[in-house]
Amino acid sequence: MVRSAKKASSIPVPVPVPVPLHPRSTDLDKAVQTARMVANPVRLRILAHLQQGESNVTDMCESLDLPQPLVSNHLGLLKIVGLLKCRRDCQRVIYELEGEWVTDLLAALGV
């Protein structure tokens, strides 16, 4: 016996969405990244310097007695994880702590 082909239904079939095993895994990942960033002595010195107020790379290099490529590299990493924010002032880039929570974190670390 030959069956006739049925028309495809126009009702959309729901696609199952994978549920993460740990719903807060992104929060944990962010905490791990933040801990790794402040665990580095150079980055911790940069953050401590920025507690005094905003600064550019040249001023940080002079104050911390570190080479410019090293400071710039660490600033980029700190910015990626959200510990710093920056803005342009003509040709200079001015860095500052992202918020009060960064100051609180540094205080908790005794910096």
Side-chain angles (χ1 to χ4, degrees), residues 6-7 9 25 29-30 33 41 44 46 63 73 82 90 95 98 103 105-106 108-109:
K6 288 188 174 181
K7 279 187 166 180
S9 174
S25 65
D29 292 341
K30 174 118 172 110
Q33 285 181 333
L44 195 56
I46 291 171
S63 176
N73 183 30
C90 296
Y95 292 89
E98 178 58 43
T103 305
L105 173 64
L106 294 172
L109 294 172

Side-chain angles (χ1 to χ4, degrees), residues 31-40 43:
V32 168
Q33 285 181 333
T34 302
R36 285 183 180 157
M37 287 297 113
V38 298
N40 181 285
R43 290 190 285 263

Side-chain angles (χ1 to χ4, degrees), residues 8-50:
S9 174
S10 62
I11 300 172
V13 177
V15 178
V17 177
V19 178
L21 296 175
H22 303 287
R24 296 184 49 205
S25 65
T26 56
D27 292 342
L28 294 174
D29 292 341
K30 174 118 172 110
V32 168
Q33 285 181 333
T34 302
R36 285 183 180 157
M37 287 297 113
V38 298
N40 181 285
V42 172
R43 290 190 285 263
L44 195 56
R45 287 177 60 197
I46 291 171
L47 291 169
H49 174 80
L50 289 171

